[in-house]
Amino acid sequence: MAATDPFSATEKAPRLRSIIPVLGVTQILAWGSSYYLLAVLAKPIAGDTGWSLAWIVGGLSLGLLVAGIVSPRVGDSIQRFGGRLVLATSAVFLALGLIGLALSPNLPLYIVSWLVLGVGMGAGLYDAAFATLGRLYGQRARTAIATLTLFGGFASTVCWPLSAMLVSEFGWRNACLIYAAIHLAILLPLYIFALPKERKRDIYGNIPATLEEGSAVSGRMPTGSRLLFVLIALVITVSSMISALISVHLLTILQAREIALAAAVALGAVVGPAQVGARAIEMAISRFHHPIWTKLASTVFVATGVGLLWSEFPIIAAALIFYGAGIGIESIARGTLPLAVFGEHPYASIMGRIAMPSLVMQAASPSLGALLIDVFGADGALAALLAIAVVNVALVSALYLILLTHGHV
């Protein structure tokens, strides 16, 4: 451990106190200027250019697809070099993509700009930040990851009003340019000067195969580690698909209940505080339990929330609180469960591989949700999501039993 860890325990504590606020601020701005950007800019772009709204929003889906494709390479790069270089590179790609959006004279170049943004998202959002913390702090990264998700929970709260103000004052193209300048003038220097330069490390080529060797991860790994890897990747991917689909179509689902748009928006606003509140509670109690319990709780809460929505439970806010709490602590489980199971040494590479199917499904979820609603209606779509959510609870329960069998819980 000492041979591969560039920082001693006494050196890590002050660095942790300085690094978490830096990554927290950069995560808010990175999410707000990429994943959450079109929530505010889509209609202004369509009104100004006349481009199809479906294609405008589709740019984000294509960007997420690219983020998934590059994520294994991102994880390997963080495993080898540390997060400083990778996160700094993400700021450059996000800036270039935003500049491309601002200067796009036509739809094809607009789409290409989103592909560039996709590289930045793959190298700069949660998975890359989690991998960076895991490489720096090992098992001590669990608290840091949970804290970082608290910052990330405010991305839309901070950046939606900021984006609306920028569009109102300067237009959507200049709003993109201002965000690009923020990446180059603020985020890039923060990554370069606030994050430590780490020693180069070896990476493991085929992660699941290497894990089965036993000596590669924390000195011991249970038999069947390939199954563990697949199960963890699967339950995280399913969770990401459900949350991405509902986040895009929640207002449509609520309005199908004959709820007025203003009331639907007010109800939807319950989700954000529920996420942050659940994350705060998880942080307070995390030292008392294994992350598999966080993952199990998140899937149960999501299934409960979706089930209450489907059953037309009269207190809709209660359904959304369950759902919001579930997706809130899911973000924590996404980073902490692989760390607890596989250890710190291959963690960054594993996170890159787990992120790939998750991001691809997030890219496909808006279209999948639209198809389900068109074919089966809002009730049918909720029924399908409930079935998927219940299956995910069963998968996480099976994962728990496997971990318990091999002494990991």
Side-chain angles (χ1 to χ4, degrees), residues 195-274:
L195 296 182
K197 185 176 181 180
E198 300 178 72
R199 297 174 184 171
K200 183 178 177 181
R201 297 181 187 175
D202 290 332
I203 61 173
Y204 308 111
N206 185 319
I207 293 302
T210 304
L211 293 178
E212 290 184 343
E213 293 172 8
S215 62
V217 186
S218 300
R220 71 177 189 135
M221 272 297 299
T223 304
S225 58
R226 186 186 298 273
L227 176 61
L228 283 174
F229 178 86
V230 171
L231 269 177
I232 290 174
L234 179 59
V235 296
I236 288 175
T237 298
V238 173
S239 296
S240 297
M241 183 272 289
I242 294 172
S243 63
L245 194 154
I246 291 181
S247 67
V248 172
H249 296 287
L250 178 59
L251 295 183
T252 300
I253 291 170
L254 293 178
Q255 287 179 282
R257 297 277 189 264
E258 298 184 355
I259 297 172
L261 177 60
V265 170
L267 285 168
V270 171
V271 174

Side-chain angles (χ1 to χ4, degrees), residues 183-376:
H183 280 286
L184 295 176
I186 299 177
L187 270 64
L188 181 59
L190 282 175
Y191 288 137
I192 291 174
F193 296 111
L195 296 182
K197 185 176 181 180
E198 300 178 72
R199 297 174 184 171
K200 183 178 177 181
R201 297 181 187 175
D202 290 332
I203 61 173
Y204 308 111
N206 185 319
I207 293 302
T210 304
L211 293 178
E212 290 184 343
E213 293 172 8
S215 62
V217 186
S218 300
R220 71 177 189 135
M221 272 297 299
T223 304
S225 58
R226 186 186 298 273
L227 176 61
L228 283 174
F229 178 86
V230 171
L231 269 177
I232 290 174
L234 179 59
V235 296
I236 288 175
T237 298
V238 173
S239 296
S240 297
M241 183 272 289
I242 294 172
S243 63
L245 194 154
I246 291 181
S247 67
V248 172
H249 296 287
L250 178 59
L251 295 183
T252 300
I253 291 170
L254 293 178
Q255 287 179 282
R257 297 277 189 264
E258 298 184 355
I259 297 172
L261 177 60
V265 170
L267 285 168
V270 171
V271 174
Q275 290 184 64
V276 174
R279 288 169 182 169
I281 294 171
E282 160 62 18
M283 279 186 61
I285 65 174
S286 62
R287 65 183 181 275
F288 300 115
H289 62 268
H290 191 279
I292 186 62
W293 290 108
T294 305
K295 180 62 187 170
L296 183 59
S298 76
T299 55
V300 170
F301 287 162
V302 167
T304 301
V306 174
L308 291 175
L309 280 176
W310 172 75
S311 67
E312 300 189 28
F313 186 71
I315 307 175
I316 295 176
L320 295 178
I321 288 171
F322 272 109
Y323 166 74
I327 63 172
I329 59 175
E330 159 60 25
S331 298
I332 297 175
R334 179 189 185 105
T336 58
L337 181 57
L339 180 62
V341 173
F342 298 117
E344 63 193 78
H345 298 299
Y347 175 68
S349 291
I350 285 175
M351 284 301 296
R353 283 156 176 77
I354 288 175
M356 185 176 183
S358 173
L359 289 167
V360 170
M361 280 307 301
Q362 286 183 59
S365 291
S367 298
L368 176 61
L371 178 63
L372 286 173
I373 292 172
D374 285 345
V375 175
F376 302 109

